[in-house]
Structure formats: C-alpha cells, structure tokens
Amino acid sequence: MDPMPGVAPPGSDGTAVYLDGAGHPMDMGTARASGGSREAAALGCTPVSGRDNPHRSATGVAVSGHGWWKKGNCSSDRAKVFNCLYEWYTDNSWRQQACSPTKTLKPGGGSTQRTAARHDCRDTERTSWRNHVDVDVVGEIDTAEKPMNQAEVNCRVY
C-alpha cells in the first residue's frame, strides 16, 4: 500500500525522515520543539525563533503556519526568516508541502513582521503537521537549528 498522510504515532520522532518538495531526504539539523543551543551560543548569538502551531487558515480550507524572530542575545535588528510546513506520512516521513518566501524582518513578530507558509487542502481528514522556522541574523553568526511546532489539523494535502 502506498504511504498516506495521517496522524503521527507517539514515538515516531526518533526515526522519522524529512523529505523536500521533490521527495529527496533532507538534513534538518536540530529539529526541536524548543529553541536555543548552548554549543552554538558560544560561537555566536542565539536568536529566539518564533513559530505558531500549524492550523487551518482563516482564509479558506488550507493549512497555514507563520515564522518570526526575537533578538535573544543578538545585536542586529534584522534577520532573514522563512518557514516550511511538513505533512506526516504512514511511511514515517515528514514531507515538505509549503514554504514561505524568505523575508528580512525586524524582531518581534506581529502581523507585519512574520512569514507565512500556506497550502490548500484536498480534504479535511485529521493529519499531523509541523511548522519549522529558520532564522539567519543579518551580519552575525547565529545558531543553525530549525525549531518546530507540531499539531494535528483537519487538512490533507497529499
């Protein structure tokens, strides 16, 4: 049977693989639900990577997620930010379904200082989604992790 989207079972975190939009394996680095890395902080600054849970978009039957940042211990007031949404499949893979454009943002978030990834749903079956955010502080060395939030959303993309 072909892999299908679904709800990720408990304990699948340690063995799941990430696939890009073309189906190729990705190295997600440190994919964690909490931000910050002590080792990287010794080499540069540690921004706070902001992201919301994947959710149904208010603009229709779509899955959506946002990314933003806060300065943490960084001194720059600009960062390049993007976020991507991943749908869980029964072959224990997280498949990239949508990424936002990269934006240069001021810290803080809010409706004008964030990125948005969005994809229309094919149906409304409950499915696990992850929203990963990547923050690259302009002019500073910073941490490389791509923290995420995971949620079940009534949306399947396939």
Short mmCIF file of all heavy atoms in Angstrom, two decimals, residues 51-68 83-87 97-100 114-121 127-132 149-157:
data_model
loop_
_atom_site.label_atom_id
_atom_site.label_comp_id
_atom_site.label_asym_id
_atom_site.label_seq_id
_atom_site.Cartn_x
_atom_site.Cartn_y
_atom_site.Cartn_z
N ARG A 51 7.44 30.68 16.12
CA ARG A 51 6.58 29.98 15.17
C ARG A 51 5.29 29.61 15.88
O ARG A 51 5.27 29.42 17.09
CB ARG A 51 7.25 28.73 14.59
CG ARG A 51 7.48 27.62 15.59
CD ARG A 51 8.90 27.62 16.09
NE ARG A 51 9.05 26.72 17.21
CZ ARG A 51 9.81 26.99 18.25
NH1 ARG A 51 10.45 28.13 18.34
NH2 ARG A 51 9.95 26.13 19.21
N ASP A 52 4.24 29.51 15.10
CA ASP A 52 2.97 29.08 15.67
C ASP A 52 2.71 27.63 15.28
O ASP A 52 3.44 27.04 14.49
CB ASP A 52 1.82 30.00 15.27
CG ASP A 52 1.63 30.12 13.76
OD1 ASP A 52 2.32 29.43 12.99
OD2 ASP A 52 0.78 30.92 13.35
N ASN A 53 1.66 27.05 15.87
CA ASN A 53 1.26 25.71 15.50
C ASN A 53 0.68 25.73 14.09
O ASN A 53 -0.02 26.70 13.73
CB ASN A 53 0.20 25.16 16.45
CG ASN A 53 0.78 24.79 17.79
OD1 ASN A 53 1.97 24.50 17.93
ND2 ASN A 53 -0.06 24.79 18.81
N PRO A 54 0.91 24.70 13.31
CA PRO A 54 0.18 24.59 12.05
C PRO A 54 -1.32 24.62 12.34
O PRO A 54 -1.76 24.07 13.36
CB PRO A 54 0.61 23.22 11.51
CG PRO A 54 1.87 22.89 12.22
CD PRO A 54 1.77 23.55 13.56
N HIS A 55 -2.08 25.28 11.48
CA HIS A 55 -3.51 25.46 11.74
C HIS A 55 -4.26 25.65 10.43
O HIS A 55 -3.65 25.93 9.40
CB HIS A 55 -3.74 26.66 12.67
CG HIS A 55 -3.13 27.92 12.13
ND1 HIS A 55 -1.80 28.25 12.30
CD2 HIS A 55 -3.67 28.94 11.41
CE1 HIS A 55 -1.55 29.41 11.72
NE2 HIS A 55 -2.67 29.85 11.16
N ARG A 56 -5.57 25.51 10.50
CA ARG A 56 -6.40 25.83 9.33
C ARG A 56 -6.40 27.34 9.16
O ARG A 56 -6.61 28.10 10.10
CB ARG A 56 -7.84 25.35 9.56
CG ARG A 56 -8.04 23.85 9.39
CD ARG A 56 -8.25 23.42 7.93
NE ARG A 56 -9.44 23.95 7.35
CZ ARG A 56 -10.65 23.40 7.44
NH1 ARG A 56 -10.82 22.26 8.09
NH2 ARG A 56 -11.68 23.97 6.88
N SER A 57 -6.18 27.76 7.95
CA SER A 57 -6.14 29.17 7.63
C SER A 57 -7.53 29.79 7.77
O SER A 57 -8.54 29.16 7.45
CB SER A 57 -5.64 29.35 6.20
OG SER A 57 -5.71 30.70 5.82
N ALA A 58 -7.56 31.02 8.21
CA ALA A 58 -8.82 31.75 8.32
C ALA A 58 -9.34 32.15 6.94
O ALA A 58 -10.50 32.55 6.80
CB ALA A 58 -8.64 32.99 9.18
N THR A 59 -8.50 32.04 5.91
CA THR A 59 -8.90 32.47 4.57
C THR A 59 -9.46 31.35 3.71
O THR A 59 -9.66 31.55 2.52
CB THR A 59 -7.70 33.11 3.85
OG1 THR A 59 -6.67 32.13 3.73
CG2 THR A 59 -7.19 34.33 4.59
N GLY A 60 -9.68 30.17 4.28
CA GLY A 60 -10.26 29.08 3.50
C GLY A 60 -9.81 27.73 3.99
O GLY A 60 -9.28 27.60 5.08
N VAL A 61 -10.02 26.72 3.17
CA VAL A 61 -9.64 25.36 3.55
C VAL A 61 -8.19 25.15 3.15
O VAL A 61 -7.87 24.66 2.07
CB VAL A 61 -10.58 24.32 2.89
CG1 VAL A 61 -10.21 22.92 3.34
CG2 VAL A 61 -12.02 24.61 3.24
N ALA A 62 -7.30 25.58 4.04
CA ALA A 62 -5.85 25.49 3.81
C ALA A 62 -5.17 25.30 5.16
O ALA A 62 -5.70 25.68 6.20
CB ALA A 62 -5.34 26.75 3.14
N VAL A 63 -3.97 24.72 5.12
CA VAL A 63 -3.11 24.63 6.30
C VAL A 63 -2.15 25.81 6.23
O VAL A 63 -1.73 26.22 5.14
CB VAL A 63 -2.37 23.27 6.37
CG1 VAL A 63 -1.43 23.08 5.20
CG2 VAL A 63 -1.64 23.11 7.69
N SER A 64 -1.83 26.38 7.39
CA SER A 64 -1.02 27.58 7.43
C SER A 64 -0.09 27.54 8.63
O SER A 64 -0.38 26.88 9.63
CB SER A 64 -1.96 28.80 7.54
OG SER A 64 -1.24 30.00 7.52
N GLY A 65 1.02 28.22 8.53
CA GLY A 65 1.96 28.38 9.63
C GLY A 65 2.77 29.65 9.41
O GLY A 65 2.96 30.07 8.27
N HIS A 66 3.23 30.25 10.50
CA HIS A 66 3.96 31.51 10.43
C HIS A 66 5.30 31.40 11.15
O HIS A 66 5.46 30.57 12.04
CB HIS A 66 3.13 32.63 11.07
CG HIS A 66 1.81 32.82 10.42
ND1 HIS A 66 0.67 32.20 10.88
CD2 HIS A 66 1.45 33.51 9.32
CE1 HIS A 66 -0.35 32.52 10.09
NE2 HIS A 66 0.10 33.31 9.14
N GLY A 67 6.24 32.26 10.75
CA GLY A 67 7.54 32.33 11.40
C GLY A 67 7.92 33.77 11.69
O GLY A 67 7.55 34.68 10.95
N TRP A 68 8.66 33.99 12.78
CA TRP A 68 9.15 35.31 13.15
C TRP A 68 10.36 35.11 14.04
O TRP A 68 10.81 33.99 14.26
CB TRP A 68 8.07 36.14 13.84
CG TRP A 68 7.57 35.56 15.13
CD1 TRP A 68 8.04 35.79 16.39
CD2 TRP A 68 6.48 34.63 15.29
NE1 TRP A 68 7.33 35.05 17.31
CE2 TRP A 68 6.36 34.34 16.66
CE3 TRP A 68 5.61 34.01 14.39
CZ2 TRP A 68 5.40 33.47 17.16
CZ3 TRP A 68 4.66 33.14 14.90
CH2 TRP A 68 4.55 32.88 16.26
N ASN A 83 9.74 29.92 6.81
CA ASN A 83 9.20 28.75 7.49
C ASN A 83 8.61 27.79 6.46
O ASN A 83 8.24 28.20 5.36
CB ASN A 83 8.15 29.13 8.55
CG ASN A 83 6.89 29.71 7.97
OD1 ASN A 83 6.90 30.77 7.35
ND2 ASN A 83 5.78 29.02 8.18
N CYS A 84 8.58 26.50 6.83
CA CYS A 84 8.06 25.46 5.95
C CYS A 84 7.11 24.55 6.72
O CYS A 84 7.31 24.30 7.92
CB CYS A 84 9.18 24.61 5.36
SG CYS A 84 10.28 25.51 4.23
N LEU A 85 6.11 24.04 6.01
CA LEU A 85 5.13 23.11 6.57
C LEU A 85 5.41 21.70 6.05
O LEU A 85 5.65 21.52 4.84
CB LEU A 85 3.72 23.52 6.18
CG LEU A 85 3.23 24.83 6.77
CD1 LEU A 85 1.92 25.25 6.10
CD2 LEU A 85 3.05 24.71 8.27
N TYR A 86 5.34 20.72 6.96
CA TYR A 86 5.58 19.32 6.65
C TYR A 86 4.39 18.49 7.09
O TYR A 86 3.93 18.61 8.22
CB TYR A 86 6.85 18.81 7.35
CG TYR A 86 8.09 19.54 6.90
CD1 TYR A 86 8.45 20.75 7.47
CD2 TYR A 86 8.88 19.02 5.89
CE1 TYR A 86 9.58 21.43 7.05
CE2 TYR A 86 10.01 19.70 5.46
CZ TYR A 86 10.35 20.90 6.05
OH TYR A 86 11.47 21.58 5.61
N GLU A 87 3.93 17.61 6.20
CA GLU A 87 2.80 16.72 6.44
C GLU A 87 3.35 15.32 6.74
O GLU A 87 4.22 14.83 6.02
CB GLU A 87 1.92 16.70 5.18
CG GLU A 87 0.67 15.88 5.26
CD GLU A 87 -0.14 15.97 3.96
OE1 GLU A 87 0.47 16.13 2.86
OE2 GLU A 87 -1.36 15.88 4.04
N GLN A 97 5.46 20.45 2.21
CA GLN A 97 4.31 20.78 1.36
C GLN A 97 4.22 22.26 1.00
O GLN A 97 3.60 22.61 0.00
CB GLN A 97 3.01 20.33 2.03
CG GLN A 97 2.93 18.86 2.30
CD GLN A 97 2.90 17.99 1.05
OE1 GLN A 97 2.99 18.47 -0.07
NE2 GLN A 97 2.77 16.70 1.22
N ALA A 98 4.84 23.12 1.81
CA ALA A 98 4.79 24.56 1.51
C ALA A 98 5.88 25.28 2.29
O ALA A 98 6.16 24.92 3.43
CB ALA A 98 3.43 25.14 1.90
N CYS A 99 6.49 26.27 1.66
CA CYS A 99 7.47 27.14 2.33
C CYS A 99 7.12 28.59 2.01
O CYS A 99 6.65 28.90 0.92
CB CYS A 99 8.89 26.85 1.87
SG CYS A 99 9.54 25.26 2.40
N SER A 100 7.37 29.44 2.97
CA SER A 100 7.17 30.87 2.74
C SER A 100 8.34 31.43 1.94
O SER A 100 9.41 30.82 1.88
CB SER A 100 7.13 31.59 4.10
OG SER A 100 8.44 31.60 4.68
N ARG A 114 6.32 38.85 10.04
CA ARG A 114 6.34 37.39 10.05
C ARG A 114 6.24 36.86 8.63
O ARG A 114 5.85 37.57 7.71
CB ARG A 114 5.21 36.84 10.91
CG ARG A 114 3.83 37.10 10.34
CD ARG A 114 2.75 36.57 11.24
NE ARG A 114 1.45 36.76 10.63
CZ ARG A 114 0.31 36.40 11.17
NH1 ARG A 114 0.31 35.81 12.35
NH2 ARG A 114 -0.83 36.59 10.55
N THR A 115 6.60 35.59 8.49
CA THR A 115 6.47 34.90 7.22
C THR A 115 5.24 34.00 7.29
O THR A 115 4.76 33.67 8.38
CB THR A 115 7.72 34.05 6.92
OG1 THR A 115 7.89 33.09 7.97
CG2 THR A 115 8.95 34.92 6.79
N ALA A 116 4.75 33.58 6.13
CA ALA A 116 3.57 32.71 6.09
C ALA A 116 3.76 31.63 5.03
O ALA A 116 4.02 31.94 3.87
CB ALA A 116 2.31 33.52 5.81
N ALA A 117 3.62 30.37 5.46
CA ALA A 117 3.57 29.24 4.53
C ALA A 117 2.13 28.74 4.54
O ALA A 117 1.49 28.67 5.58
CB ALA A 117 4.52 28.13 4.98
N ARG A 118 1.61 28.39 3.37
CA ARG A 118 0.20 28.02 3.25
C ARG A 118 0.01 27.06 2.09
O ARG A 118 0.68 27.20 1.06
CB ARG A 118 -0.61 29.29 3.01
CG ARG A 118 -2.09 29.13 2.93
CD ARG A 118 -2.74 30.51 2.71
NE ARG A 118 -4.17 30.42 2.74
CZ ARG A 118 -4.93 30.05 1.71
NH1 ARG A 118 -4.39 29.76 0.56
NH2 ARG A 118 -6.23 29.99 1.83
N HIS A 119 -0.88 26.09 2.25
CA HIS A 119 -1.20 25.16 1.15
C HIS A 119 -2.66 24.77 1.25
O HIS A 119 -3.15 24.43 2.32
CB HIS A 119 -0.33 23.91 1.23
CG HIS A 119 -0.26 23.15 -0.07
ND1 HIS A 119 -1.37 22.57 -0.65
CD2 HIS A 119 0.78 22.87 -0.88
CE1 HIS A 119 -1.00 21.97 -1.77
NE2 HIS A 119 0.30 22.14 -1.94
N ASP A 120 -3.37 24.82 0.12
CA ASP A 120 -4.78 24.40 0.09
C ASP A 120 -4.90 22.92 0.42
O ASP A 120 -4.05 22.12 0.04
CB ASP A 120 -5.39 24.68 -1.28
CG ASP A 120 -5.60 26.16 -1.55
OD1 ASP A 120 -5.60 26.95 -0.58
OD2 ASP A 120 -5.74 26.54 -2.73
N CYS A 121 -5.97 22.56 1.10
CA CYS A 121 -6.25 21.17 1.48
C CYS A 121 -7.02 20.48 0.36
O CYS A 121 -7.85 21.10 -0.30
CB CYS A 121 -7.11 21.12 2.74
SG CYS A 121 -6.43 22.04 4.13
N THR A 127 -4.71 15.22 10.25
CA THR A 127 -3.35 14.89 9.83
C THR A 127 -2.36 15.66 10.70
O THR A 127 -2.63 16.79 11.11
CB THR A 127 -3.16 15.29 8.34
OG1 THR A 127 -4.17 14.63 7.57
CG2 THR A 127 -1.80 14.91 7.82
N SER A 128 -1.20 15.04 10.97
CA SER A 128 -0.13 15.72 11.72
C SER A 128 0.67 16.63 10.79
O SER A 128 1.03 16.23 9.67
CB SER A 128 0.81 14.70 12.35
OG SER A 128 0.15 13.94 13.33
N TRP A 129 0.93 17.83 11.28
CA TRP A 129 1.70 18.83 10.54
C TRP A 129 2.77 19.40 11.45
O TRP A 129 2.59 19.50 12.65
CB TRP A 129 0.79 19.98 10.09
CG TRP A 129 -0.09 19.61 8.95
CD1 TRP A 129 -1.34 19.05 9.02
CD2 TRP A 129 0.20 19.76 7.57
NE1 TRP A 129 -1.84 18.84 7.76
CE2 TRP A 129 -0.91 19.26 6.86
CE3 TRP A 129 1.30 20.25 6.87
CZ2 TRP A 129 -0.94 19.26 5.46
CZ3 TRP A 129 1.26 20.25 5.48
CH2 TRP A 129 0.14 19.77 4.80
N ARG A 130 3.89 19.80 10.83
CA ARG A 130 4.94 20.53 11.54
C ARG A 130 5.24 21.83 10.81
O ARG A 130 5.24 21.88 9.58
CB ARG A 130 6.23 19.69 11.61
CG ARG A 130 6.11 18.56 12.61
CD ARG A 130 7.41 17.83 12.77
NE ARG A 130 7.30 16.89 13.88
CZ ARG A 130 8.24 16.04 14.22
NH1 ARG A 130 9.38 16.01 13.54
NH2 ARG A 130 8.06 15.22 15.23
N ASN A 131 5.51 22.85 11.61
CA ASN A 131 5.90 24.17 11.11
C ASN A 131 7.31 24.43 11.62
O ASN A 131 7.51 24.63 12.81
CB ASN A 131 4.93 25.23 11.61
CG ASN A 131 5.28 26.62 11.12
OD1 ASN A 131 5.95 26.81 10.11
ND2 ASN A 131 4.84 27.63 11.87
N HIS A 132 8.31 24.39 10.71
CA HIS A 132 9.70 24.68 11.05
C HIS A 132 10.04 26.09 10.61
O HIS A 132 9.62 26.53 9.54
CB HIS A 132 10.64 23.72 10.32
CG HIS A 132 10.68 22.35 10.90
ND1 HIS A 132 11.60 21.97 11.84
CD2 HIS A 132 9.91 21.28 10.68
CE1 HIS A 132 11.41 20.70 12.16
NE2 HIS A 132 10.38 20.25 11.47
N ASN A 149 7.00 23.49 15.65
CA ASN A 149 5.78 23.19 16.41
C ASN A 149 5.00 22.17 15.61
O ASN A 149 4.96 22.25 14.38
CB ASN A 149 4.92 24.44 16.62
CG ASN A 149 5.45 25.34 17.71
OD1 ASN A 149 6.59 25.23 18.14
ND2 ASN A 149 4.61 26.26 18.15
N GLN A 150 4.39 21.23 16.31
CA GLN A 150 3.60 20.18 15.67
C GLN A 150 2.17 20.24 16.18
O GLN A 150 1.94 20.49 17.36
CB GLN A 150 4.20 18.81 15.98
CG GLN A 150 3.43 17.66 15.35
CD GLN A 150 4.08 16.31 15.64
OE1 GLN A 150 5.30 16.20 15.69
NE2 GLN A 150 3.25 15.29 15.81
N ALA A 151 1.22 19.98 15.27
CA ALA A 151 -0.19 19.95 15.64
C ALA A 151 -0.95 19.08 14.65
O ALA A 151 -0.50 18.88 13.51
CB ALA A 151 -0.79 21.35 15.65
N GLU A 152 -2.09 18.57 15.09
CA GLU A 152 -2.99 17.85 14.21
C GLU A 152 -3.99 18.85 13.64
O GLU A 152 -4.57 19.64 14.39
CB GLU A 152 -3.72 16.72 14.94
CG GLU A 152 -2.87 15.46 15.09
CD GLU A 152 -1.66 15.64 15.99
OE1 GLU A 152 -1.84 16.12 17.13
OE2 GLU A 152 -0.54 15.31 15.57
N VAL A 153 -4.15 18.82 12.33
CA VAL A 153 -5.00 19.78 11.63
C VAL A 153 -5.94 19.01 10.72
O VAL A 153 -5.55 18.01 10.11
CB VAL A 153 -4.13 20.75 10.79
CG1 VAL A 153 -5.00 21.77 10.07
CG2 VAL A 153 -3.09 21.44 11.65
N ASN A 154 -7.19 19.46 10.61
CA ASN A 154 -8.15 18.83 9.70
C ASN A 154 -7.88 19.29 8.27
O ASN A 154 -8.63 20.08 7.69
CB ASN A 154 -9.57 19.15 10.12
CG ASN A 154 -9.93 18.49 11.44
OD1 ASN A 154 -9.37 17.46 11.79
ND2 ASN A 154 -10.84 19.08 12.16
N CYS A 155 -6.77 18.78 7.72
CA CYS A 155 -6.34 19.15 6.38
C CYS A 155 -5.35 18.12 5.88
O CYS A 155 -4.39 17.79 6.57
CB CYS A 155 -5.65 20.52 6.42
SG CYS A 155 -4.91 21.02 4.84
N ARG A 156 -5.58 17.62 4.68
CA ARG A 156 -4.61 16.76 3.99
C ARG A 156 -4.33 17.36 2.63
O ARG A 156 -5.22 17.78 1.92
CB ARG A 156 -5.16 15.34 3.82
CG ARG A 156 -5.10 14.56 5.09
CD ARG A 156 -5.29 13.09 4.91
NE ARG A 156 -5.24 12.48 6.23
CZ ARG A 156 -5.61 11.25 6.48
NH1 ARG A 156 -6.04 10.47 5.50
NH2 ARG A 156 -5.54 10.76 7.70
N VAL A 157 -3.04 17.36 2.29
CA VAL A 157 -2.61 17.90 1.02
C VAL A 157 -2.29 16.79 0.03
O VAL A 157 -2.64 16.86 -1.13
CB VAL A 157 -1.37 18.82 1.22
CG1 VAL A 157 -0.76 19.20 -0.11
CG2 VAL A 157 -1.78 20.06 1.99
#
